[in-house]
Amino acid sequence: MDAARVAAGVRAIAEECTKPGAKFLDIAGTIESEVVKQGGKNAFPVNISINDTAAHYTPCIGDETVLGEKDIVKIDFGVHVEGCIIDQAFTVDFGGENGKLVEAADAALADALAVMKAGVSVKDVGAAIQNAITSRGFKPIENLGGHSLEPYILHAGEEIPNTAKGSYVLQEGDVFAVEPFATTGAGRVDEGTYCEIHSLVNPKTVRLPQSRRVLEYILEEYKTLPFAERWLADMLSTSSIEMVVNDLVRQGILHSYNVLKEINNGMVAQSEVTVIVEKDGVKNLC
Ligand code: CO
């Protein structure tokens, strides 16, 4: 799979540029342009989520945020080639105080992959994730989970929970992003107000010419895949982007991905790969 080859090359660059003092905008820019350089497209904006932020932080235009010396950072990126998506993530603990938390997320991923095969219920996969995390003294984040992937669809309907729940039975050929989240907090996330990522959910005719132009561009470039507001910077001024996005969100045309934070401000680690389900196991596509 072409996307897998691209993702593997990009992963090395992503690890290299994730270091204390690095600017979020530079990290996202480096990874996103590397995806294109290696022959893929970005399936969603690079998520750079630190500490108690679990997901959905991508830098905004003019973002001055830099990685701190003690941050625990999750880098989550997606590559697609003609709609076939590879979604993967890793966690780095700069301070060295959360090494065990990172290990718990990595172990949960390994244990999940070890039980996955055609005919296995996602409940049993969730149980393996939960057990790997709780046995190490942490909590799985119960309202986040892995997700099935289909061409051009990042969340295709089925879930790999972080706890023992769900009834879907894995089928041969299913493609899943498996992404355990472990935390030192309560084990739940809630939406924050920061929001830079959106996706098209309900295209319809719009009145404002500027909105119409942006909508056409999104349909053509991203289809239903998530995009960042800063990806529209070549078309519009920052204030126009805000106006158009608000207009499209208000009409129910765009869905917004607010940043997700652990409810007790616990530290969060994530480990993620994309796999295809086979008869006797899974094949790691990353
Ligand atoms: Co991901």
Side-chain angles (χ1 to χ4, degrees):
M1 190 175 166
D2 283 350
R5 181 185 47 78
V6 175
V10 172
R11 165 81 180 237
I13 304 285
E15 285 179 3
E16 220 176 274
C17 70
T18 302
K19 52 192 174 200
K23 225 172 156 180
F24 282 32
L25 265 179
D26 292 338
I27 298 169
T30 301
I31 297 172
E32 289 167 3
S33 56
E34 191 63 27
V35 167
V36 176
K37 221 184 284 173
Q38 300 213 16
K41 286 189 172 180
N42 288 280
F44 52 85
V46 172
N47 285 213
I48 307 172
S49 306
I50 55 166
N51 305 329
D52 62 338
T53 300
H56 297 172
Y57 189 98
T58 203
C60 59
I61 296 163
D63 200 318
E64 293 291 335
T65 322
V66 296
L67 288 177
E69 300 284 340
K70 294 207 155 185
D71 284 344
I72 170 170
V73 56
K74 283 78 65 187
I75 302 284
D76 192 337
F77 68 96
V79 174
H80 83 87
V81 173
E82 282 165 12
C84 292
I85 303 165
I86 296 287
D87 182 352
Q88 65 169 302
F90 60 91
T91 302
V92 190
D93 171 39
F94 297 140
E97 285 159 24
N98 292 292
K100 292 220 152 44
L101 182 65
V102 178
E103 269 173 43
D106 288 342
L109 177 60
D111 289 1
L113 301 186
V115 301
M116 285 176 77
K117 62 179 178 181
V120 167
S121 165
V122 295
K123 188 175 179 179
D124 294 331
V125 184
I129 291 172
Q130 180 168 20
N131 185 47
I133 295 172
T134 54
S135 69
R136 287 169 173 82
F138 303 107
K139 287 201 172 141
I141 296 185
E142 62 183 29
N143 59 339
L144 284 178
H147 45 97
S148 54
L149 295 161
E150 283 176 18
Y152 290 106
I153 307 176
L154 187 58
H155 290 260
E158 300 303 340
E159 227 205 314
I160 303 280
N162 282 329
T163 55
K165 65 180 180 189
S167 58
Y168 180 72
V169 174
L170 299 173
Q171 309 288 310
E172 204 175 337
D174 283 351
V175 178
F176 271 96
V178 188
E179 51 177 334
F181 285 84
T183 181
T184 59
R188 280 192 77 78
V189 288
D190 209 349
E191 287 190 349
T193 51
Y194 183 89
C195 181
E196 287 291 317
I197 305 174
H198 310 274
S199 69
L200 185 60
V201 284
N202 182 22
K204 56 186 175 195
T205 313
V206 289
R207 212 166 297 163
L208 276 175
Q210 222 170 27
S211 296
R212 199 181 312 141
R213 197 160 64 88
V214 171
L215 188 55
E216 278 166 11
Y217 179 77
I218 293 167
L219 249 175
E220 172 74 22
E221 280 298 309
Y222 312 126
K223 301 192 166 55
T224 64
L225 293 171
F227 62 91
E229 290 186 22
R230 62 186 157 78
W231 288 1
L232 303 173
D234 286 344
M235 297 183 79
L236 296 167
S237 68
T238 308
S239 58
S240 299
I241 293 172
E242 205 138 296
M243 199 192 70
V244 164
V245 166
N246 287 343
D247 180 42
L248 296 176
V249 169
R250 197 172 43 236
Q251 296 185 67
I253 295 168
L254 295 183
H255 168 76
S256 298
Y257 298 83
N258 288 56
V259 82
L260 297 174
K261 289 195 161 248
E262 212 287 323
I263 56 167
N264 273 6
N265 303 112
M267 294 292 123
V268 177
Q270 170 201 21
S271 188
E272 178 182 30
V273 291
T274 296
V275 300
I276 183 162
V277 177
E278 297 182 330
K279 223 170 115 204
D280 301 313
V282 289
K283 192 163 123 197
N284 190 340
L285 297 174
C286 294

